Structure formats: C-alpha cells, structure tokens
Amino acid sequence: MNDTGRSGRVARGSALSAGALAIALFAAGCSAQDSASQDAPSRASADSTPSATSATSATSAPSEVSLPVAPEDLRGADPCKLIDRKVLAGFGKVEYDRGIRYGECDIRLDGRDDWSVSIFVELQSGPSEVSPDNPAPTPVLRDGVTVYESEGYGELSDDKDCTRDVMVPEGTGAVAIGVYGDETGTRACRIADTAATGVIRLLKSGDLPSARHAPDSLANQDACDLIKESEAARVPDIDPRDRHATFTGQSCTWGPENIDEPHLYILFGHQDDALQGRPLTVGGRKAAVKYSPVDEDSSLLGPSLPSCSVDAEYGAAGPTVEGRTEVVTVGVAGDSSRQKLCSLAQELARKALARLPEP
C-alpha cells in the first residue's frame, strides 16, 4: 500500500458501507505484495509482485534461521496477541482494538507523560509500501530473521512513523508493525523495535496464538473466489484479469487499486453498528445499498470516482470479536450513472453471496 494507508489509519473504525473503497485501500494495501492475477494459485500459495515503491524482494535477504511457521499458520493467528501487553508495558498503558477486519489489530499506547501513539499490526504477504517521499524499507537481520525497516513522517502532520515488517518464512508471509503519530519523533522506532523483538521471539517458538475462527467464519473464505472473471468484466472500463488479493483473503479488487479509476471490490469485515444506506434483501440476507458521489478533494486520498456498494450481513462474528456481525461488502466505482453502478453492485452482490456457505 502507498502512504495513504499510513495516514489513513484513523479511518479504520469507519463503517464498511461508508467510503468502502477507501477502507479497502487502507486495509488491503499495507503490503505491496498482496496481489495476484486471476489465474494465479490460491491465496495459500499465490505469487507476489512488489510495486515500484515497495521494498526489495525478501528473497534477496533471507533469514538465517528456519522459523517453524507456515503461511497458513500465520493466517490463522490472532494479530492482537502477536504483541503481548507485557512487551509494551515499559512504554505505558496499552489498549487493543480489533478494527474491522480479521488479520489486523489496532493498539493505542498512552505514555505516562501525556503522549500517545497508534500501533497497527497486520498479517501480510510481504513488506509494506512507503510514500515516494520516504526511503524504501531496508532489510536487516534481527536475531537471524529478516525484518524490513522504514521510518518517515505522516502526510498530514510532522509526526514520526516507523514500521517493522517481520518476514516469515523466507518471504511467504509477514507480520507488519507500524507505529504512527509520534509527535516527539523519538519513540516510534524504539516502540516498533521492541514489538518486533517480541514477535520474533514468538515466531521462533512456533506457538502462534490462534484467532480461533469459527469454521463458518468469513475468516476462512477468500474474497477473490466470489466473482468470476466474466462477471467482473461487466464493470465498464476495467480489465477483469487485473486482480489484487490480500494475504488473508479478506478483500479483493478487480481493476486498478486507485480510487480515481474504475474498479470492483469485495471486502469482508465485522461491525457492531447497523447497516447504513437504503435497506434491501440480497440472497435472503439483510443488506443495504449506498451511493457515494464523486469526491474531488478527499483530504486523505485525493479525488475519487462515484461508487455504489452493497453491505450484506453474513452471520455472527466470533469468538475473538464476539458480539459483532460479519459483513460482506461488494462495491463498484466508475464513471457510469448512479443507477448503473448500484444495479451492478446489487447484481454482483447476489452472485458473490450465493457462493458463500450458509453460516
């Protein structure tokens, strides 16, 4: 993901239906590696291709130790438990937030002398992207494990940001740790280093804390499996073969990953708020459709095309996010009319939901 993801962490608590594409780009793009073509292998073994602003391929800096962790182990891990509260206790008070998607965790760290930072943890397939204005991540060995390190400043402030992407194993997965909002500029990297050390210790043990996903949870599904290439081709002005998947399978985009170009996207999430938009029923499930007009000057992402999205309730989330509802979002963005965009979103939502098992 480009640096819009870094400055956009504040948007992670937003409802899925509101600005769904923006959230998709925030959540799906922290890793430049999370993309695969339509004819690529499944997400358990998908190849990855870094973009121009991403770090050098991790295979150029292999770890010296063999970690007893497979990609599927990482996908099933609880990201909020990869960094234990005790690891960060020396810096201040720690509060965890599950965010809106499986495979990620928001942590708020409040210092004892009236300062605070945000820590974001995400399960990825490779190193994070950075803004072209900041240096590319540098691969280093920490305790024999490859870690991509980067630091820079937020686009909307002068606060220091620092990331540490712990690679496991040999470039097939990563635990991305980002520390944002350090007003002093002196703490972000120390906190990120401490968190990375804790993650490495846990990975070396091979005993990853399980997220304990229910068998019928969206956590076990792949968003890219829900739409066929021929169906994606119905969206005007996109190449349906241009498909971008995330490591955890929780979102998929057909067409460019830019909000100012036409595309189709599917997001899985969990929320405790009521669906927003015009209520309807899709595939027997409670749903809502919402149209978002063109935004010529988004403060975080820049100009965007009009879009229409359908949010559909899937089932009860849990147990790590017990009390929330799993939601499938299908959205279409483009230069077409509101009627055309919303008609396509509803049509594709019906097809996507029909391919999911009954919860």
Side-chain angles (χ1 to χ4, degrees):
M1 180 181 196
N2 55 33
D3 203 50
T4 57
R6 300 178 187 280
S7 61
R9 298 305 181 202
V10 294
R12 288 187 175 271
S14 304
L16 287 175
S17 58
L21 173 62
I23 299 175
L25 293 177
F26 292 157
C30 205
S31 169
Q33 320 302 332
D34 288 343
S35 61
S37 65
Q38 182 72 26
D39 57 355
S42 66
R43 66 185 170 99
S45 60
D47 294 334
S48 57
T49 304
S51 72
T53 56
S54 70
T56 304
S57 174
T59 56
S60 63
S63 298
E64 292 182 343
V65 298
S66 178
L67 297 172
V69 176
E72 53 270 25
D73 297 327
L74 189 59
R75 289 190 186 96
D78 185 341
C80 281
K81 293 183 178 179
L82 291 178
I83 303 177
D84 190 270
R85 189 183 302 271
K86 295 178 181 178
V87 172
L88 300 173
F91 294 99
K93 180 182 177 182
V94 180
E95 294 183 6
Y96 292 85
D97 183 350
R98 293 289 174 177
I100 60 172
R101 296 199 322 158
Y102 297 117
E104 58 189 40
C105 181
D106 290 294
I107 304 173
R108 178 183 174 89
L109 177 58
D110 293 314
R112 297 178 179 84
D113 50 351
D114 199 28
W115 59 268
S116 67
V117 297
S118 297
I119 304 172
F120 183 71
V121 184
E122 183 169 15
L123 307 179
Q124 299 181 171
S125 62
S128 302
E129 291 185 6
V130 298
S131 165
D133 298 330
N134 290 324
T138 302
V140 300
L141 286 175
R142 286 177 173 267
D143 297 329
V145 176
T146 298
V147 178
Y148 279 84
E149 302 182 348
S150 68
E151 57 184 275
Y153 294 88
E155 289 186 341
L156 304 181
S157 69
D158 292 328
D159 296 346
K160 185 71 169 289
D161 299 336
C162 198
T163 64
R164 299 290 185 260
D165 300 328
V166 183
M167 304 301 299
V168 292
E170 297 184 3
T172 60
V175 178
I177 304 164
V179 181
Y180 306 98
D182 178 14
E183 296 180 352
T184 69
T186 62
R187 297 184 175 95
C189 288
R190 288 195 291 119
I191 294 170
D193 288 338
T194 300
T197 298
V199 168
I200 291 171
R201 186 183 307 116
L202 190 60
L203 292 172
K204 283 187 171 183
S205 74
D207 187 20
L208 298 186
S210 172
R212 299 183 295 124
H213 297 305
D216 58 357
S217 170
L218 287 175
N220 301 316
Q221 303 299 321
D222 191 328
C224 285
D225 290 342
L226 302 188
I227 294 292
K228 296 180 179 179
E229 185 176 307
S230 59
E231 295 165 348
R234 290 184 47 74
V235 179
D237 303 320
I238 74 166
D239 180 354
R241 297 167 299 177
D242 182 17
R243 195 185 73 176
H244 308 270
T246 52
F247 176 69
T248 56
Q250 296 295 283
S251 71
C252 191
T253 303
W254 290 261
E257 291 185 290
N258 303 319
I259 62 174
D260 60 351
E261 297 183 74
H263 57 270
L264 160 69
Y265 59 94
I266 294 182
L267 301 173
F268 297 157
H270 43 74
Q271 60 186 58
D272 51 14
D273 298 325
L275 298 179
Q276 298 180 8
R278 177 173 61 85
L280 70 159
T281 301
V282 178
R285 293 181 171 89
K286 182 179 179 182
V289 60
K290 184 169 184 177
Y291 175 75
S292 299
V294 63
D295 187 346
E296 297 288 354
D297 187 27
S298 169
S299 60
L300 288 177
L301 299 175
S304 66
L305 289 176
S307 65
C308 190
S309 61
V310 173
D311 291 347
E313 294 184 353
Y314 180 67
T320 56
V321 285
E322 190 171 357
R324 296 187 183 182
T325 301
E326 293 188 334
V327 175
V328 179
T329 297
V330 180
V332 178
D335 292 311
S336 303
S337 67
R338 174 174 182 166
Q339 180 179 1
K340 177 69 172 178
L341 291 173
C342 290
S343 176
L344 273 172
Q346 292 177 66
E347 174 188 337
L348 294 172
R350 285 193 294 270
K351 294 182 180 298
L353 290 169
R355 295 188 174 105
L356 285 170
E358 289 296 326

